[in-house]
Amino acid sequence: MCGIIGCVSEKDCYGALYDGLKRLEYRGYDSAGIAVLDRELRIFKKKGGVSNLSAFYARGGTGIGHTRWATHGAPSDANAHPHRAGKIALVHNGIVENFAALRAELEGEGERFFSDTDSEIIAKLVSRAYRGDLLAAVQSALLRVEGSYAVAVIAEDRPGELVAAKRKSPLVAGKGSAGLFVCSDIPALAGTAEYIAQAEDGELIRIADGEIEFFDGALHPVPKTFFRPQEELRALSVAGGGYFMRAEIAEIPRALRDTLAALREKDFAPCARALRAAQRVFAVACGTAYHSALVFADIVEKEAGIPVLCHTAGEFRYRAPVLGTGDVLVAVSQSGETADTLEAARLARARGAYVIAVTNIGCSSLASLADFLLVMRAGAEIAVAATKSYNCQLLCLYYLAGQMLFFKEERLPSWWGSLERLPAAAEASFGCFAEVDRLADRLHGARAMYYLGRGLDLCTAREGALKVKEIARVFAEGYAAGELKHGSLALIEDHFPVVCISTGASLAKKSENALAEVKSRGGYCALFSQYPQVLQESCADAKCLLPALPEPLMPAVAVIPLQYFAYKMCLERGFDPDKPRNLAKSVTVE
């Protein structure tokens, strides 16, 4: 979602802020802005990309920057951050839930607003409370705010000082040779800040006199330990006008190897009692991560006979879930900052359940909530649409499922030894890309398409459909192949495209029946399978042979050509695969 950065430096900070905003672009944004303080407060903000700010420059060692993802108010120059009120400039990530009431109150007292945002309200509240003590003013203003926030604030008469605060939105502080920083994103500071510390909910940060201080909500000092950010969180570079998504697909074998090495070194003994005693397991996630959770649920139920209730995190706590002591909740989030997943984990902890987190960021909010943590080693993922992180989530969940079976029945699943083959199989799947290129050339004009699968292949179908929706803007639906005749077959007509994943031998003929139904009505069929005979006997128009692994592991390989297909469809349709319309990488608001 929105990205914020703040800097206090002995040098001019504009360049550091601009570079930080460029690193934050992957979070998703529709406008950007910078405020710099020297003798006076200067603000530059524009609708559109961060590059729009390159035409401006201001000298000064204190500043804040922002990339906005619109919630209240359409994308515009006026709604872009930073917002100014009197001597105060502020950037905000989050949502003010009592926005309407506060705005009506302030307007009734004569305040004039220059934007449609909820964030400007916080700036007004800080300005009203400010009497020379910026920390106290921010604390006082935020007492009136309901909802989520990470804010960074500077005052025109306080050069060299910056105050930040957080509730349910990520915020970190960092120290580096370029200055002292606050930022909404650890990867965005990797390479800039040599040491980082994370703020907890309700805490405030003050940068002044060359120091970073943390305070609780009552302004009592909070001791913090600064740590070095993980080297692997530094972003890939893409040369020659390439795209991060393509580079990140190419990174999948490396990411799987590194993740597997980390899992082999992980001691699962601390969670043994919880896994052994678990009567029920809940799995919660959003978007792509939810599809990995569906695979986990299927495998655990088949292998260990433990019921796994899989939910989208945004719906989980509103269902009044029946969970408590003795239950296990597995929460999956690439960033570890997904707001709905965090709330599900908090609910589970409050009910006494044991929380296991799977994330790419070991120092994230989700990591701090968990009783047990599995950190994938995907490395920084800049493209908004998840690719390599999905494959690594699956690997972590395979490993967790295997450990669950071991602690329950003192045995490992039959496919356990094949996990080491997964990176090589992922690399071999790149051999499908030539066929996928031809498929994208043929189908790029499609207005809609189905992805079909059964069993674990249905999870892959759903992820494939999500990818092509996200970046190629083609309506797509991942559908159970056996359900096609129960309504959706009505949409099949001449040349309607259907992609089928068929990696389960026992269900292959049933999936083929669905393709025959499509073909008889004029549809165009593409089939992906690791079984040559399945492809040979199929009526599909396009066929692609996948590398072979034990069937439970195939979702981590079968998805790769579908990720690449979405990428190619996106390019064919003239869009930017790294920055899909209306979407953000890290969804930090509900």
Side-chain angles (χ1 to χ4, degrees):
M1 307 297 280
C2 303
I4 66 174
I5 187 167
C7 178
V8 175
S9 175
E10 295 181 358
K11 311 170 186 176
D12 290 344
C13 67
Y14 192 94
L17 293 172
Y18 181 84
D19 291 344
L21 293 183
K22 291 295 288 183
R23 290 192 294 270
L24 285 166
E25 283 185 299
Y26 79 98
R27 291 173 67 92
Y29 69 98
D30 48 58
S31 58
I34 288 176
V36 173
L37 172 60
D38 187 13
R39 293 189 179 90
E40 62 179 0
L41 191 60
R42 300 184 65 191
I43 297 177
F44 311 105
K45 54 182 186 174
K46 295 287 290 183
K47 177 183 175 181
V50 173
S51 58
N52 289 337
L53 304 179
S54 63
F56 304 101
Y57 187 81
R59 296 190 177 279
T62 304
I64 52 178
H66 190 266
T67 55
R68 179 173 186 255
W69 191 86
T71 52
H72 293 77
S76 68
D77 291 356
N79 288 334
H81 298 213
H83 291 291
R84 180 168 186 172
K87 297 179 179 180
I88 299 299
L90 171 144
V91 292
H92 167 232
N93 177 21
I95 291 182
V96 179
E97 293 178 355
N98 57 337
F99 153 78
L102 288 174
R103 178 156 181 156
E105 175 189 323
L106 293 173
E107 286 179 329
E109 294 174 359
E111 290 284 359
R112 181 185 174 193
F113 286 83
F114 299 94
S115 77
D116 301 317
T117 69
D118 54 344
S119 305
E120 189 181 1
I121 288 168
I122 307 178
K124 297 284 190 186
L125 292 173
V126 174
S127 178
R128 283 172 157 239
Y130 182 60
R131 300 290 185 273
D133 186 336
L134 186 58
L135 181 67
V138 173
Q139 177 218 29
S140 174
L142 293 178
L143 289 174
R144 305 217 47 208
V145 173
E146 298 173 8
S148 61
Y149 56 76
V151 297
V153 189
I154 56 177
E156 190 168 36
D157 59 350
R158 300 291 296 178
E161 182 174 2
L162 181 152
V163 172
K166 74 151 282 182
R167 180 199 293 159
K168 298 183 179 180
S169 285
L171 183 68
V172 297
K175 304 176 180 179
S177 58
L180 305 177
F181 295 87
V182 294
C183 189
S184 54
D185 198 307
I186 291 172
L189 285 184
T192 298
E194 298 172 13
Y195 296 94
I196 284 174
Q198 189 170 12
E200 301 296 333
D201 277 357
E203 291 182 347
L204 298 93
I205 301 170
R206 179 173 61 190
I207 299 177
D209 302 320
E211 298 291 336
I212 301 176
E213 300 173 286
F214 286 76
F215 300 88
D216 65 17
L219 299 188
H220 299 132
V222 176
K224 289 285 179 177
T225 300
F226 282 75
F227 59 90
R228 287 186 179 273
Q230 297 173 7
E231 182 71 21
E232 61 267 25
L233 291 183
R234 299 189 182 187
L236 288 170
S237 61
V238 287
Y243 292 102
F244 282 107
M245 184 176 179
R246 181 66 183 90
E248 287 159 6
I249 291 172
E251 275 264 293
I252 291 172
R254 190 281 309 158
L256 288 170
R257 282 192 295 270
D258 290 354
T259 299
L260 185 58
L263 288 168
R264 285 172 175 157
E265 295 178 359
K266 183 72 175 179
D267 181 9
F268 281 79
C271 70
R273 177 179 296 180
L275 295 182
R276 189 179 295 116
Q279 298 301 309
R280 292 177 303 183
V281 177
F282 295 83
V284 296
C286 299
T288 286
Y290 175 67
H291 298 148
S292 71
L294 289 173
V295 174
F296 171 74
D298 188 288
I299 288 175
V300 170
E301 290 189 345
K302 286 179 179 176
E303 294 284 357
I306 302 171
V308 180
L309 306 174
C310 197
H311 300 281
T312 55
E315 295 297 320
F316 178 70
R317 61 198 175 102
Y318 298 111
R319 299 181 72 258
V322 180
L323 83 162
T325 304
D327 293 329
V328 171
L329 180 128
V330 179
V332 188
S333 166
Q334 185 280 139
S335 67
E337 302 295 348
T338 308
D340 289 317
T341 307
L342 288 172
E343 291 303 319
R346 290 188 180 104
L347 174 63
R349 286 292 299 269
R351 298 276 186 88
Y354 189 87
V355 176
I356 298 174
V358 177
T359 180
N360 198 31
I361 312 295
C363 44
S364 60
S365 300
L366 181 60
S368 66
L369 275 173
D371 296 294
F372 189 76
L373 177 62
L374 290 177
V375 182
M376 62 184 106
R377 294 290 186 259
E381 191 174 62
I382 304 304
V384 169
T387 51
K388 61 179 178 175
S389 63
Y390 178 70
N391 306 78
C392 291
Q393 284 167 2
L394 286 173
L395 178 51
C396 288
L397 292 170
Y398 287 141
Y399 221 87
L400 179 60
Q403 293 294 321
M404 188 172 292
L405 178 63
F406 179 77
F407 290 128
K408 278 280 188 180
E409 301 182 13
E410 296 187 352
R411 66 181 179 90
L412 290 168
S414 60
W415 43 261
W416 186 259
S418 295
L419 286 173
E420 65 183 19
R421 295 165 48 200
L422 198 50
E427 192 161 12
S429 74
F430 297 168
C432 298
F433 289 177
E435 179 62 36
V436 172
D437 284 337
R438 290 188 285 272
L439 189 64
D441 286 341
R442 181 181 180 93
L443 300 182
H444 71 268
R447 298 178 60 187
M449 54 198 308
Y450 282 140
Y451 284 68
L452 302 182
R454 300 194 70 147
L456 288 172
D457 291 330
L458 176 56
C459 308
T460 306
R462 286 172 169 163
E463 176 59 14
L466 177 61
K467 282 291 158 287
V468 84
K469 276 188 289 193
E470 284 179 318
I471 64 171
R473 304 182 199 172
V474 177
F475 177 80
E477 186 173 6
Y479 215 80
E483 288 292 299
L484 192 64
K485 62 178 67 69
H486 295 288
S488 296
L489 201 58
L491 296 181
I492 300 297
E493 57 188 6
D494 284 350
H495 310 300
F496 188 98
V498 172
V499 175
C500 181
I501 304 92
S502 182
T503 69
S506 64
L507 293 169
K509 290 189 181 300
K510 296 186 181 298
S511 293
E512 180 61 25
N513 291 341
L515 290 186
E517 293 167 352
V518 171
K519 282 288 290 181
S520 67
R521 289 157 179 82
Y524 181 90
C525 300
L527 177 63
F528 292 80
S529 179
Q530 81 275 36
Y531 295 118
Q533 186 174 354
V534 168
L535 295 174
Q536 182 179 350
E537 296 176 355
S538 176
C539 64
D541 300 283
K543 303 173 184 180
C544 187
L545 180 64
L546 299 167
L549 282 173
E551 290 179 3
L553 304 184
M554 284 303 297
V557 174
V559 74
I560 296 172
L562 304 185
Q563 294 168 338
Y564 180 75
F565 174 68
Y567 167 80
K568 288 296 291 188
M569 287 280 283
C570 177
L571 295 183
E572 294 272 7
R573 292 166 66 84
F575 304 135
D576 183 342
D578 290 344
K579 299 170 185 176
R581 182 176 61 184
N582 299 334
L583 299 181
K585 182 69 176 175
S586 180
V587 184
T588 57
V589 297
E590 292 185 67

